[in-house]
Amino acid sequence: MARDGAVFVCQSCGAVHPKWSGRCDACGAWNTLVEEAQGGPPGAMAPTKASKARGLVFETLEAHTPDPPRIATGSAEFDRVCGGGVVPGSAILLAGDPGVGKSTLLLQVCAQAALGGAKVAYVSGEEAVEQIRSRAARMGLSQAPVKLAAETSLRDIVDSLKREPVDLLIVDSIQTLWSDALEAGPGSVAQVRACAGELVRLAKKRRIAVILVGHVTKDGQIAGPRVVEHMVDAVLSFEGERGYPFRILRAAKNRFGATDEIGVFEMGDSGLREVANPSALFLGEGGERAAGAAVFAGIEGSRPVLVEFQALVAPSAYGTPRRAVVGWDTGRLAMVLAVLEARCGLGFGARDVYLNVAGGLRVNEPAADLAAAAALASSALDVPLPQGCVVFGEISLSGEVRAVSRMESRMKEAAKLGFDRALGPSAAKEGAPFPVATVQKLADAVARIGDENWKG
Ligand code: TYD
Ligand code: MG
């Protein structure tokens, strides 16, 4: 039984339980409940002494003061993902796998912001000052007037900021901070929640933009506490496939901008280079088209991006055939395979299916259905798609090919990059810069792909 006023908090999901149990009801994790004094952590809303209520002063929706200007970080890609620069007084969580380049990105962003005139502090609990200096030297940013500190004590950080005027504060990482008001160790849910809560309050109160780095666990969650995601104004994730130089910054939540915008970077010897025009980045090697490849004309955020889908359908050596997919959704692959089997007469029962999105990009658009299906059909039939053809369209369970958003901009971008035909839904004909082979049903598309004489 809990001591008076104590509760049990799951260290995995942050759910609060009145009594101890071996398994958390909320997330199902075992042995994660830890006793905490209720209202103790500074991050939680502590019940205050009975105080007199004050009447609310209601406001109008119309603003009387214009929004303060956003802080331009000097990185166009980073600013765009934030919704046009960093909002003063906002809190941002930057999440990503260890080693993906979070510290590199933020050092670059804050150094450029500092060169642009913003007052910037970079506090690292992960690296020594010397390490950060040598990284800055390698990236040619040593001259930037960044206030640098290696510190993990929340109290010291908050106290220093009372004296230092700062516009932008970077904390790398939230899991290394600790507050002496709690007994729990750094990285525990209680500590992370308390420290993040305190920093978010500091951000609001002193109009400091705070960027917190958060590590991601193996299963893709921001380590331990999802609670931090709810506290901050924006959650950005920094992604990249191992072995590829490309890194993608995405907004998973953003109170000040759209969430479908991406920023593309390339990791090199002297830091991250911005890729302003990524449309041709994710195409496979040029040259003769092989069976199993289809170029998808996609949209990432506000920009068209061309991506190659690669499929391999091969006889299976095992009783249960394999389905492996990189860069696309497994559920979506299962659906497209089922439609190809049920409506188009292609059999995948005894065959392994591999699907890969080239370049390390992760595609989330339903518009990619037809491109994936075309790659799969092309591999299954062993017929390459015509040279210079882009594909887009959503597939329904009944096997219909549906129109998707912004078809004209998809094709215009493709035309710019030298593509000269498309395979897509009927509505794609309108405004197309080149001939479109329109299909109403997926079976029509498969028939076209199987027809060696198809010229678009
Ligand atoms: P880092 O920013 O330390 O990752 P994180 O903070 O997300 O853990 O980046 C680590 C990787 O980036 C490391 O493997 C080396 C690579 N890197 C470069 O390739 N070039 C560079 O200029 C820098 C600074 C890092
Ligand atoms: Mg780091």
Side-chain angles (χ1 to χ4, degrees):
M1 192 56 209
R3 280 177 289 159
D4 263 359
V7 289
F8 292 90
V9 179
C10 172
Q11 299 297 294
S12 169
C13 69
V16 179
H17 302 260
K19 55 186 206 299
W20 190 85
S21 91
R23 182 168 180 269
C24 171
D25 298 337
C27 69
W30 288 91
N31 292 326
T32 53
L33 298 203
V34 168
E35 188 175 341
E36 270 181 21
Q38 202 167 22
M45 281 258 251
T48 48
K49 284 172 253 121
S51 55
K52 258 217 204 119
R54 275 183 301 125
L56 301 183
V57 182
F58 287 103
E59 305 262 358
T60 53
L61 281 175
E62 197 179 24
H64 296 294
T65 43
D67 283 342
R70 296 189 177 209
I71 304 168
T73 62
S75 161
E77 296 290 295
F78 189 87
D79 286 351
R80 204 193 32 254
V81 176
C82 291
V86 180
V87 176
S90 70
I92 298 174
L93 176 70
L94 176 72
D97 291 329
V100 72
K102 301 180 294 299
S103 307
T104 308
L105 174 69
L106 288 182
L107 184 61
Q108 207 156 327
V109 160
C110 81
Q112 280 160 353
L115 288 169
K119 297 187 196 72
V120 180
Y122 184 105
V123 179
S124 177
E126 308 228 323
E127 291 160 303
V129 167
E130 271 315 312
Q131 267 175 297
I132 302 167
R133 277 203 192 121
S134 76
R135 174 180 295 166
R138 192 141 50 92
M139 288 157 58
L141 294 169
S142 298
Q143 301 306 316
V146 173
K147 298 181 177 92
L148 187 61
E151 184 54 68
T152 55
S153 159
L154 179 71
R155 187 197 290 267
D156 292 351
I157 295 172
V158 171
D159 197 59
S160 317
L161 288 170
K162 286 189 183 136
R163 279 171 276 118
E164 289 281 347
V166 163
D167 303 321
L168 175 65
L169 168 69
I170 313 263
V171 177
D172 187 5
S173 66
I174 187 69
Q175 278 102 353
T176 55
L177 292 195
W178 62 280
S179 156
D180 53 13
L182 296 185
E183 278 174 25
S188 62
V189 167
Q191 282 286 5
V192 169
R193 189 179 48 198
C195 294
E198 185 74 26
L199 288 170
V200 170
R201 250 172 294 142
L202 178 85
K204 301 273 175 278
K205 198 166 141 208
R206 305 183 58 87
R207 314 283 308 150
I208 300 173
V210 176
I211 306 182
L212 307 171
V213 171
H215 293 298
V216 164
T217 54
K218 272 189 231 90
D219 50 2
Q221 293 211 344
I222 295 166
R226 306 278 330 219
V227 275
V228 180
E229 293 185 38
H230 302 297
M231 288 180 192
V232 295
D233 300 301
V235 178
L236 309 183
S237 68
F238 202 39
E239 307 161 0
E241 287 288 335
R242 218 165 268 281
Y244 290 103
F246 304 116
R247 301 284 180 269
I248 292 163
L249 184 69
R250 260 181 220 281
K253 160 183 173 178
N254 192 354
R255 289 192 182 137
F256 307 112
T259 52
D260 55 359
E261 208 57 84
I262 64 164
V264 184
F265 298 86
E266 188 178 355
M267 180 69 93
D269 289 339
S270 52
L272 290 156
R273 191 178 65 82
E274 292 184 29
V275 181
N277 185 6
S279 55
L281 210 62
F282 304 105
L283 289 179
E285 295 294 312
E288 198 64 10
R289 284 257 157 266
V295 176
F296 167 52
I299 300 272
E300 287 286 349
S302 55
R303 292 179 297 186
V305 174
L306 269 63
V307 204
E308 186 173 275
F309 274 65
Q310 303 163 344
L312 178 65
V313 179
S316 179
Y318 304 101
T320 319
R322 283 203 63 172
R323 269 92 180 95
V325 48
V326 178
W328 204 46
D329 186 51
T330 2
R332 217 80 209 163
L333 173 67
M335 188 203 89
V336 167
L337 285 177
V339 177
L340 282 170
E341 289 209 340
R343 318 272 176 209
C344 313
L346 286 177
F348 296 96
R351 301 206 263 180
D352 289 339
V353 174
Y354 302 90
L355 187 76
N356 177 42
V357 176
L361 187 70
R362 209 188 143 73
V363 175
N364 296 318
E365 271 191 289
D369 290 353
L370 188 61
L376 290 163
S378 154
S379 176
L381 302 169
D382 199 22
V383 181
L385 264 76
Q387 193 83 20
C389 178
V390 291
V391 188
F392 54 89
E394 185 178 342
I395 296 171
S396 72
L397 283 178
S398 58
E400 253 148 298
V401 177
R402 300 238 176 98
V404 296
S405 62
R406 303 183 52 195
M407 294 189 283
E408 208 175 317
S409 17
R410 290 172 200 266
M411 289 184 286
K412 282 206 176 122
E413 188 68 25
K416 252 194 256 168
L417 292 166
F419 288 82
D420 59 6
R421 70 190 73 190
L423 175 66
S426 322
K429 267 232 154 75
E430 223 165 290
F434 42 52
V436 185
T438 58
V439 284
Q440 277 184 341
K441 303 226 161 244
L442 183 56
D444 305 339
V446 172
R448 285 223 185 227
I449 293 164
D451 175 5
E452 304 241 10
N453 300 318
W454 173 34
K455 291 281 185 291

